[in-house]
């Protein structure tokens, strides 16, 4: 870290009034969000562009960030969705043969503030003890009393529809690793047609489906079940996404009307929406799961998978109907991580089998989805 900084001072404040000072290496202004920490040593670009982080201020626990730059291949959506970014040390001179721009430039292209020289260890220890907390990043207001007053009026994520901020506005075809107009869909041929309900879908989910020789059609979260069925899909994917699932009644109704009609696979928020549609309830975790090293046990095989996760809500197992089968649990806190509905030809997981970033231990779930569609 240079002895003399030219970057403007900035701060991150938590809802308990604690303040963490730093410098704004990118952007300026004031942003609010739920403060979470991510334990990945690499993968900051994939995390930044994951729509599931909408409404969150992200703290990276690995101390050196920006050292390999930004490239076009590691995008998980077409924008940055988290509200603000805090790191210990920002590296402005990336070294990687794929690097096309700096992290600073990338953040500023999307108007997102980046803080460094922040005590991320103290923030992480605080969140690890107190649980999820609301927070604010500010480069403008250094009157902490005034800032605390503004933070106190921030509503947080509970009860908010965050999906509307990240879902696509129109249907599109995913082909050869890119978005195409829906008019290019044409006949499916020998491929399985999968309709993806976009609640904030990551591109790597679409890449995995295409690698399994699927024709992939992505539709907005507001799409009705009848419109989805009009595509005559072989299966439906319920994507990941941000925030609280319970306010998303319009999506829950869609899922409820799809279950039992064709194979359905839900990931992360899609898992929660399927759980509610099947008759269960969700609750907010005191300690959310954010990172690439969450251990999950597959109860069917006894195998332990190391998984990539980002969620603050969970399906409550005790509220589920009798036909729901718990398939996976988190070994850190015993929370529910996977469900199957054999009579409805549907299943879901709370974590990210597509990884990006993260391990590929759960890639087999895409093969399970293909087998379910074949069985149909």
């Amino acid at each position: 870290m240079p002895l003399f900084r030219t970057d403007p001072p900035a701060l991150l404040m938590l809802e308990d009034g604690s303040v963490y000072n730093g410098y704004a290496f990118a952007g300026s202004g004031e942003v609010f969000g739920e403060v979470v920490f991510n334990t990945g040593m690499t993968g900051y670009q994939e995390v930044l562009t994951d729509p599931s982080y909408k409404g969150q201020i992200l703290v990276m626990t690995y101390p050196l960030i920006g050292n390999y730059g930004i490239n076009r291949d590691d995008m998980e959506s077409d924008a940055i969705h988290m509200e603000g970014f805090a790191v210990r040390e920002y590296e402005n001179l990336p070294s990687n043969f794929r690097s096309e721009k700096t992290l600073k430039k990338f953040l500023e292209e999307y108007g997102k503030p980046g803080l460094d020289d922040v005590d991320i260890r103290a923030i992480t220890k605080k969140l690890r003890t107190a649980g999820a907390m609301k927070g604010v990043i500010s480069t403008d207001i250094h009157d902490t009393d005034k800032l605390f007053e503004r933070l106190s009026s921030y509503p947080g994520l509970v009860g908010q529809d965050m999906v509307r901020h990240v879902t696509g506005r129109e249907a599109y075809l995913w082909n050869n690793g890119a978005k195409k107009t829906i008019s290019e869909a044409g006949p499916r041929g020998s491929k399985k047609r999968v309709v993806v309900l976009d609640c904030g879908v990551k591109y790597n989910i679409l890449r995995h489906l295409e690698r399994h020789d699927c024709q992939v059609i992505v539709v907005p979260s507001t799409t009705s079940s009848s419109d989805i069925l009009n595509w005559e899909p072989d299966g439906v994917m319920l994507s990941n996404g941000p925030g609280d699932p319970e306010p998303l009644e319009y999506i829950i109704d869609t899922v409820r009307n799809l279950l039992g009609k064709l194979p359905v696979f839900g990931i992360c928020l899609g898992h929660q929406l399927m759980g509610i549609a099947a008759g269960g309830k969700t609750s907010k975790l005191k300690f959310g799961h954010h990172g690439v090293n969450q251990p999950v046990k597959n109860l069917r095989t006894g195998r332990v998978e190391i998984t990539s996760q980002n969620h603050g809500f969970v399906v409550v197992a005790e509220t589920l109907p009798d036909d729901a089968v718990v398939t996976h649990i988190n070994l850190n806190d015993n929370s529910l991580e996977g469900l199957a509905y054999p009579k409805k030809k549907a299943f879901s997981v709370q974590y990210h089998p597509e990884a990006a970033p993260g391990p590929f231990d759960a890639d087999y779930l895409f093969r399970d989805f293909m087998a379910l569609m074949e069985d149909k």
Side-chain angles (χ1 to χ4, degrees):
M1 190 66 59
L3 184 60
F4 300 103
R5 295 293 301 261
T6 58
D7 297 324
L11 62 84
L12 189 158
M13 174 183 282
L14 297 178
E15 64 178 277
D16 67 349
S18 56
V19 174
Y20 304 89
N21 293 299
Y23 294 90
F25 74 85
S28 61
E30 180 180 289
V31 295
F32 297 86
E34 182 175 280
V35 182
V36 301
F37 63 87
N38 185 290
T39 56
M41 296 177 67
T42 61
Y44 55 80
Q45 180 178 342
E46 294 94 325
V47 171
L48 291 173
T49 56
D50 179 352
S52 300
Y53 280 90
K54 178 65 182 174
Q56 295 177 328
I57 292 172
L58 178 61
V59 177
M60 298 298 290
T61 62
Y62 187 70
L64 183 62
I65 301 295
N67 51 319
Y68 57 84
I70 300 292
N71 68 80
R72 70 189 71 186
D73 296 326
D74 291 340
M75 297 290 286
E76 284 301 313
S77 69
D78 56 6
I80 297 176
H81 297 282
M82 56 94 224
E83 307 304 323
F85 197 39
V87 303
R88 179 59 183 170
E89 183 175 346
Y90 165 62
E91 175 53 64
N92 196 43
L93 296 173
S95 177
N96 187 282
F97 73 98
R98 295 194 305 154
S99 179
E100 298 169 359
K101 66 182 73 171
T102 64
L103 173 59
K104 170 184 169 69
K105 182 176 181 181
F106 187 52
L107 288 167
E108 290 181 341
E109 283 176 356
Y110 294 97
K112 304 294 185 179
L115 273 65
D116 77 337
D117 202 16
V118 179
D119 190 347
I120 57 173
R121 183 181 294 271
I123 297 172
T124 301
K125 289 178 69 176
K126 169 90 66 170
L127 298 177
R128 194 179 61 186
T129 303
M133 302 180 77
K134 294 181 286 186
V136 57
I137 284 177
S138 179
T139 64
D140 299 332
I141 299 177
H142 297 279
D143 181 335
T144 55
D145 290 337
K146 182 177 180 181
L147 198 60
F148 183 75
E149 184 179 343
R150 291 171 61 79
L151 176 57
S152 299
S153 63
Y154 169 64
L157 298 181
V158 177
Q160 305 297 313
D161 179 356
M162 304 303 295
V163 169
R164 62 188 175 90
H165 298 291
V166 298
T167 187
R169 302 305 172 205
E170 57 186 14
Y172 62 87
L173 173 72
W174 181 267
N175 190 37
N176 291 325
K179 294 180 180 180
K180 309 289 184 180
T181 61
I182 200 66
S183 61
E184 299 179 59
R188 76 186 76 186
S190 61
K191 296 183 176 183
K192 297 295 182 186
R193 175 177 285 174
V194 176
V195 171
V196 179
L197 191 63
D198 177 14
C199 301
V201 68
K202 291 173 63 180
Y203 286 166
N204 220 38
I205 292 176
L206 309 181
R207 295 180 189 118
H208 271 66
L209 290 172
E210 189 173 24
R211 286 189 201 113
H212 283 83
D213 203 30
C214 294
Q215 184 190 61
V216 183
I217 294 172
V218 185
V219 299
S221 62
T222 53
T223 306
S224 68
S225 57
S226 59
D227 285 343
I228 290 173
L229 293 172
N230 284 340
W231 282 103
E232 299 182 348
D234 294 289
V236 172
M237 170 73 75
L238 310 177
S239 86
N240 62 292
D244 187 351
E246 290 200 348
L248 309 176
E249 294 181 4
Y250 60 102
I251 308 177
I252 294 166
D253 286 342
T254 297
V255 177
R256 187 178 292 118
N257 291 330
L258 290 172
L259 287 175
K261 293 185 172 68
L262 75 176
V264 182
F265 178 17
I267 292 176
C268 197
L269 180 65
H271 160 83
Q272 298 164 8
L273 293 169
M274 194 187 299
I276 297 173
K281 296 184 182 299
T282 59
S283 65
K284 195 171 193 310
L285 289 166
K286 181 177 180 181
F287 304 102
H289 303 159
H290 312 279
V292 297
N293 56 357
Q294 292 281 331
V296 168
K297 185 174 183 178
N298 184 326
L299 299 180
R300 290 173 164 173
T301 65
R303 182 171 178 257
V304 175
E305 305 161 12
I306 303 302
T307 67
S308 178
Q309 302 196 16
N310 175 48
H311 66 102
F313 296 82
V314 65
V315 177
V316 181
E318 294 75 19
T319 66
L320 289 163
D322 292 339
D323 65 342
V325 179
V326 175
T327 58
H328 299 76
I329 58 169
N330 189 295
L331 293 180
N332 284 337
D333 60 9
N334 210 41
S335 60
L336 195 154
E337 292 279 2
L339 287 167
Y341 309 85
K343 294 180 181 179
K344 297 183 172 69
K345 291 189 177 294
F347 70 100
S348 61
V349 290
Q350 182 61 80
Y351 51 94
H352 286 266
E354 83 288 346
F360 296 104
D361 293 24
D363 182 69
Y364 69 90
L365 290 164
F366 287 92
R367 296 193 295 274
D368 290 353
F369 186 41
M370 295 300 296
L372 202 60
M373 290 190 287
E374 289 288 349
D375 187 48
K376 166 181 172 290

